[in-house]
Structures are given as C-alpha cells and as structure tokens.
Amino acid sequence: MLDLRRIRQDPEGILARLRRRNPHLDLSRVLALDEERRELQKQVDEVRRRQNEGSERVAALSKAGDLPERERLLAELKVLAETRKRLEDRLSQVEAELAAELLSLPNVPHDSVPSGTKEEKVVLRVWGEPPRFDFPPQHHLALAQKLRLLDMERAAKLAQSRFPMYVGEGARLEFALLHWMLELHVREHGYIPILPPILANRRSFLVSGQLPKFAEELYHCPADDLFLNPTAESLLANLHNDEILEEERLPLKYVAYTPCFRREAGSYGEEQRGLIRVHQFNKIELFWYITPDRSYQALEELVGHAERVLQLLGLHYRVTLLPASDLAFQSAKTIDIEVWLPGQGAYYEVSSCSNCEDFQARRGNVRYRPKEGGRPQYVHTLNGSGLATSRLFAAILEQNQRRDGTVVLPRVLAELLDRETLG
RNA sequence: GGAGGGAUGGGUGAGCGGCCGAAACCGCCGGUCUUGAAAACCGGUAAGCCGAAAGGCUUCGGGGGUUCGAAUCCCCCUCCCUCCGCCA
C-alpha cells in the first residue's frame, strides 16, 4: 500500500518511479477518488458538527423545560440525520473504490534499483568458482533417481506431477539441511525461530501483497476461505498486525521453516524438470521488522545471512540486483542469490531478499513508537529466503557429483548425516 | 458440530442511552525531593482523517439497525476463552 499523501503531494514523481516498473501504471483514478473522498468527508464532518451542537442543545432545552423549542429543534435534527446518511453512503462507496485501487498498486522501486528488463539484472558479486568436471555433469533428477533420494512417480500417485517426494537418504538430507539452516540463523545470526500455521486467511495475503492481484498462484480452501502459504513471508509479515511496537524491541528478526505451495499456473518447460519448479518445496525464511532509517543496511545484512549458508556448504553462487521491472509487487528493492547448477549450466535463484519498506506495514498497520517520542511510525519489513531447499538440494547433488553418479557431501552435512558420500 | 462467556487506549481493566475519548492501575515522559539513582509526591501521556494553523470530524472487534443522540439498546458476522462431542 502506498502512502496516499505522498501520491497527492508528488503525483508526477511517484508515477514516474512506478513506471520504471511497469509503463502502464496510472494514478489518475486514485487521485480523482481521493479528491472526491476528501470533499465528501468535509461535508459529512460539517453535518455532524451541526448535529453534535444540536444534540447538546436538546439536552439543555429538556433541562430548561422549553418544550416547543425542543420540538422544533428535533425536527431540524431529523433532517440533518437524513442528509448525513445520504452523504455517508456515497462516502463509503468512494472509500471502497479508493481502497481497491490502492491495493492494486505495487510498491515504488528504490532509487538504487536499475531500470531495465528481467534480463538486465546486475551481477553484484560472485562467490567461489563453478566446479570443473572431466565428464558431462548430470541433472540432479538423474542423480537423485539413481541414488534413490527422490520418488517423483509415487509422489504423483499421492498428489500430482511436480510434487516431489524425498525418500531414504534424500529425506534425511532434506531434514538435515532444514534443521541446520534454522539453527545457523538462530544461534549465529540472532533470529527468533517460528513454526507458523501453513494455512492463512485472506487478510494475511492482502497484507503481504499476494492478494488481490496474484490469487491464481495460491492454493485455496474455499470451505474455510484459507490459503496455503506460498512463502513464509506471507505469514511472518502478519505477526504484528495492528500493533504499536516499542522502538527498543526493533529490529525483530524471525526465522521460520515452512513448506511452500505454489500453483505455478502457466509455467512449463524442460528446465522445470526435477526440483527446479515444483508445487511444494521447503524453505527457511528470514524476516525483519525494523525502523526506516536502518532498513537498507538491514537488507545487506540479511543477504549476508543467506549467503553464509551457501558459503558453509561450499557451493558456487552469484548475487544479483533485480531491475525495477522484475521486482515482486510488494518490494522496493530485491537482491537475489543464485546457485550454480552444472547439470543445467545455469544459475538458479535460491534466495530472494527484499526490502518492502512500509508497503506491508501500511497494509498490516504495523507501527513503532519512536524512542524520542512523537506519533507512531510505520516499520519497514524485509524478507529473504535463508534458503529455499529443493533447489539447494539440487545444487548439492549437481555441484558435488562424481563420474560414477555418487555425491560427496559437504563437510557440515557429512557430519550431520554421519556419512561422507551419497551412493 | 453443540452450550456458555468475552473483545474497551502501549498493557491490565471499569463504564452499560447525553455530564464518556472514556475511571483506576501499570508503563512511558516531565517536574519536586536527592551528591546521583531508587522510592515518594505533582503534572502530562490514544489513534486516524481534513486543515498552513486555529480548529473540526471519526474511532470502545467488524457490519447493519433503533434514536435528535450509542462504548452503552437490537440484529448479523468474525475472532478469543471455557465446557461437551469428535480426533492426531
């Protein structure tokens, strides 16, 4: 949700910045509705003021015993009440339209975000080097099937295609990864661990930004009007709805584990084979609530926490800055971490770290009381994967594979699983 | 699924047609006292909208209704709690 006052004060400026994201965006309707709303509000306020004055006089006249004057006044007030009703009906209609309009507007890109298309993302840095093989590296799906780590065929019996099922050492590896990442963020990076509900209500997704525009991406349970979470961001963004936090408590840093569910309507292709794009995957999510002055510094820190996972696993990756046109709806700035998958000869996103500034905080009405006093301010929220496995799982197999199709486990995982290799 | 109880400011919680934007307590801020702090005492302290300001208006879970006037009465909904049923 954008700040209406900001739009009103600088409509051209905001529009220009929004159009870096999408040249078709338009503010004229918002501005027109806002003006009508304020005019109606003014009229309603005036009628109410006269009603309030009148009501006080009714009480006074009753006490004084001036009944004829009292009757005359009551008749007058009755007319005012009807007038007000008419104005209020129109006002609430305009308010609803304005709210809908505002909910459909994405966040304004930060000035440090480059313009340009998806392909023009900026590579900020590269860590490590791609492993070299003296044989053609295999796809993780081939490796996983040979090593009996995944059973996609049986998973399809239970659910549908593109729902993965981890079996045997694969299941152990996935569990170990998730637990290890959670502990890393709790013990070394100071996050508060959360194991949230996986289904959440409509408001939660309105706050996070998934709704109203991206409903087709969500699995929906109509009987209860609940949605399966596509990322724990949607859940963690709602932890403090309608609260005023004390500044001393900030930043609040949460780490959650959830499975994530995405309908992936319309996506297809050979590159989506295996664990690259699935309907259900596991993710450790990092989420910050922080004061506005520190949020961009926090974004760098957050990215660092996610990178740490890959560094400890010894996986080659790169960090990219997304251009404005590729930003998620709610994000003002996003930095992606992409891990190298030699089986496909490409980098794939395993973490997307965003500063949503006050976009989600406005929708969730999450504020803080400044230390130095004054009125409550909206917090800034940040989210980032720390990390998404499934893809991480694929990277571990592909980057550490040997000619015979076995996989050498990274040190940390070898200790957790009590074995040096898979296969 | 059935029965009952509840939702009020940063927190606890009173109010049950006009004197209520709302007692009291806690917290927080300022002051007195003190070498300093604590304690004690005194004062202040909700949020939102419009407005340059003065000020006006709104808000006691949400929506609708009764009334000149609703935190307070009526109806609907949501959520929370307790008990019963079912169940990992």
Side-chain angles (χ1 to χ4, degrees):
Chain A
M1 183 91 77
L2 300 184
D3 184 355
L4 198 46
R5 254 174 305 193
R6 226 176 113 204
I7 296 178
R8 202 185 295 141
Q9 277 161 14
D10 180 22
E12 288 85 12
I14 300 289
L15 184 60
R17 294 170 69 191
L18 279 174
R19 283 187 169 164
R20 293 210 299 134
R21 168 198 277 280
N22 175 354
H24 304 298
L25 289 171
D26 182 37
L27 292 175
S28 56
R29 193 161 150 72
V30 166
L31 289 166
L33 285 166
D34 176 49
E35 200 174 325
E36 185 175 4
R37 199 207 98 237
R38 281 186 298 156
E39 178 53 35
L40 281 166
Q41 185 69 62
K42 215 175 276 182
Q43 292 176 23
V44 169
D45 283 0
E46 173 59 18
V47 173
R48 287 204 91 118
R49 190 185 59 74
R50 284 160 63 193
Q51 270 188 301
N52 290 344
E53 283 173 8
S55 290
E56 269 173 51
R57 274 177 58 216
V58 169
L61 290 171
S62 303
K63 209 175 270 179
D66 187 349
L67 296 184
E69 176 60 13
R70 182 176 178 276
E71 284 310 306
R72 201 195 54 73
L73 187 55
L74 284 181
E76 209 175 282
L77 288 174
K78 191 133 194 161
V79 175
L80 280 181
E82 283 160 16
T83 306
R84 195 186 97 198
K85 181 96 180 75
R86 262 204 322 278
L87 287 169
E88 279 179 343
D89 284 350
R90 177 67 191 142
L91 178 61
S92 56
Q93 191 185 331
V94 170
E95 277 176 341
E97 283 172 36
L98 181 59
E101 204 62 34
L102 233 31
L103 281 174
S104 74
L105 286 178
N107 205 351
V108 174
H110 189 256
D111 286 338
S112 65
V113 171
S115 299
T117 64
K118 292 186 199 332
E119 292 68 37
E120 297 177 83
K121 61 185 160 198
V122 179
V123 177
L124 297 177
R125 56 186 171 270
V126 175
W127 190 88
E129 288 185 11
R132 274 198 280 276
F133 302 99
D134 52 8
F135 56 91
Q138 297 188 62
H139 190 284
H140 63 271
L141 189 59
L143 294 165
Q145 282 173 337
K146 210 168 304 165
L147 296 170
R148 299 182 190 285
L149 306 176
L150 286 174
D151 190 339
M152 303 300 271
E153 291 71 24
R154 289 199 176 88
K157 290 197 213 177
L158 310 188
Q160 224 179 24
S161 74
R162 288 169 47 194
F163 278 89
M165 180 158 67
Y166 298 83
V167 298
E169 292 303 285
R172 284 187 75 217
L173 174 58
E174 182 76 354
F175 264 124
L177 268 176
L178 291 167
H179 184 246
W180 170 71
M181 288 191 286
L182 186 92
E183 287 294 308
L184 175 72
H185 295 308
V186 170
R187 291 155 77 157
E188 296 189 28
H189 303 149
Y191 286 79
I192 302 164
I194 300 278
L195 202 49
I198 307 304
L199 289 165
N201 58 35
R202 192 170 281 277
R203 187 196 178 190
S204 295
F205 294 102
L206 274 172
V207 168
S208 69
Q210 254 82 31
L211 292 177
K213 292 202 90 172
F214 306 99
E216 72 284 354
E217 263 308 303
L218 299 174
Y219 286 100
H220 183 212
C221 308
D224 301 287
D225 201 27
L226 293 172
F227 300 82
L228 275 160
N229 96 292
T231 159
E233 172 199 350
S234 314
L235 309 170
L236 297 175
N238 288 277
L239 246 34
H240 296 289
N241 285 352
D242 302 313
E243 291 184 31
I244 298 176
L245 303 162
E246 294 302 328
E247 185 175 345
E248 286 72 24
R249 288 181 65 194
L250 300 175
L252 279 164
K253 297 156 63 182
Y254 294 106
V255 55
Y257 158 68
T258 66
C260 300
F261 300 88
R262 299 186 181 180
R263 293 190 59 235
E264 301 293 358
S267 73
Y268 58 89
E270 170 65 12
E271 66 165 16
Q272 322 291 9
R273 218 155 44 92
L275 294 173
I276 303 299
R277 193 172 293 280
V278 284
H279 290 307
Q280 178 180 342
F281 60 94
N282 295 307
K283 184 150 65 79
I284 299 294
E285 182 77 5
L286 306 174
F287 200 96
W288 289 52
Y289 291 85
I290 194 166
T291 52
D293 56 312
R294 291 189 288 168
S295 69
Y296 277 94
Q297 179 194 323
L299 180 61
E300 300 300 326
E301 223 180 296
L302 174 60
V303 172
H305 294 158
E307 284 184 68
R308 188 87 199 295
V309 171
L310 293 171
Q311 291 169 5
L312 290 171
L313 292 172
L315 294 172
H316 166 58
Y317 67 88
R318 66 179 192 182
V319 179
T320 64
L321 176 60
L322 295 193
S325 63
D326 207 16
L327 289 177
F329 186 74
Q330 65 273 25
S331 175
K333 179 175 184 173
T334 297
I335 295 172
D336 273 6
I337 301 174
E338 301 179 333
V339 74
W340 174 247
L341 290 188
Q344 5 260 299
Y347 291 94
Y348 277 93
E349 177 194 326
V350 280
S351 180
S352 196
C353 302
S354 299
N355 186 353
C356 296
E357 297 186 357
D358 62 4
F359 188 85
Q360 293 174 327
R362 281 178 190 284
R363 293 182 169 209
N365 192 27
V366 187
R367 292 167 295 174
Y368 73 97
R369 195 177 293 288
K371 257 198 291 253
E372 63 278 10
R375 37 177 34 214
Q377 308 287 326
Y378 289 109
V379 299
H380 279 194
T381 58
L382 298 95
N383 65 81
S385 342
L387 269 14
T389 169
S390 304
R391 282 188 189 172
L392 181 59
F393 186 102
I396 289 168
L397 298 190
E398 292 193 12
Q399 285 202 27
N400 296 301
Q401 61 181 297
R402 293 188 291 201
R403 179 184 289 276
D404 63 358
T406 61
V407 171
V408 181
L409 284 169
R411 191 75 257 134
V412 287
L413 293 174
E415 281 166 24
L416 288 169
L417 293 178
D418 196 27
R419 58 185 300 164
E420 298 297 316
T421 61
L422 293 172

